Amino acid sequence: MRLILDIQHVTVRFGGVVALDDVSFGVNKGEFVCLIGPNGAGKTTLMRAVTGVIKPQAAEVRLAGKDISHLPTHKRARLGLALTHQIVRPFRSMTVLDNVALAAGHRRIARILPAMLAVDRSAERKRALKYLKLVGIDSAANRSVVGQPLGVTKRLEVARALALEPEILLLDEPLAGLNSIEAARLADTVADINREGLTVVMIEHNLGEVLRVAQRLVVLDNGRKIAEGQPDEVMRNPFVRAAYVGKEQPHAAA
């Protein structure tokens, strides 16, 4: 398999607190990788370092072989990284469709003059509707985002990310706050998107769904990577079990 995202030696400190300590792993093209760990393990911080939202003290990030470590967030996004957020903040003055259409027009609005001269948004709206259908909320396309249930806004966030046409879809706890039925359905939707060929890296606390859909796990605890591999194998790891149940960690072999 071809390595599409290579994350090496990511270290992030906030004052005297080490949030990430020399974290490294890779993601192959077409994979579905879940990033898991207890609260405060550093998962979201890692995602933000990869996308350039925060500046790490050390890191090397390569996307399809290209070093993007020193690029600003918007340039990383143009090269193929799309990150959803745990707390969804759509444009409340727009409809569901227009929220996605705005993202679908990202190439047009990247340049000021074409953006000012363009008046026809039909192509973007057509693409936006395609992504809304893909995530299963096209019936809500012409409704205001105000008052939409959490299940719809979570799917809207995924649709907006897909409209950026990314090489890698980065999801930060997309199942958080959903009931078991909605969580399972959204997990299935993400798995279907992955089966269509899109690489997915997902942070998630819902271990039941993670173990059902993920192909590989990377586990963080206290800012360090403690395990990586196939889900069943990783969950048998005594260090992973200790991190989740709070027991004393086993001694590493000398």
Side-chain angles (χ1 to χ4, degrees), residues 34-36 43-44 47 171-174 201-205:
C34 276
L35 185 61
I36 67 170
K43 304 180 296 297
T44 296
M47 287 277 203
L171 304 171
D172 190 356
E173 295 194 43
V201 179
M202 182 171 80
I203 294 175
E204 188 49 60
H205 281 287

Side-chain angles (χ1 to χ4, degrees), residues 9 25 37 39 49 62 70 86 100 108 116 124 138 148 164 167 169 177 185 197 203 205 230 233 236:
H9 310 299
F25 68 95
N39 287 327
R62 292 185 175 273
H70 303 291
Q86 180 181 350
V100 182
R108 180 181 293 188
M116 291 177 63
E124 286 80 7
D138 52 301
Q148 292 301 316
L164 297 175
E167 293 291 327
L169 180 62
R185 287 174 177 170
I203 294 175
H205 281 287
Q230 300 296 315
E233 173 190 350
R236 289 195 298 268

Side-chain angles (χ1 to χ4, degrees), residues 225-246:
K225 186 180 79 172
I226 61 171
E228 177 181 2
Q230 300 296 315
D232 290 346
E233 173 190 350
V234 165
M235 295 312 295
R236 289 195 298 268
N237 184 308
F239 290 95
V240 175
R241 295 175 67 87
Y244 272 99
V245 301

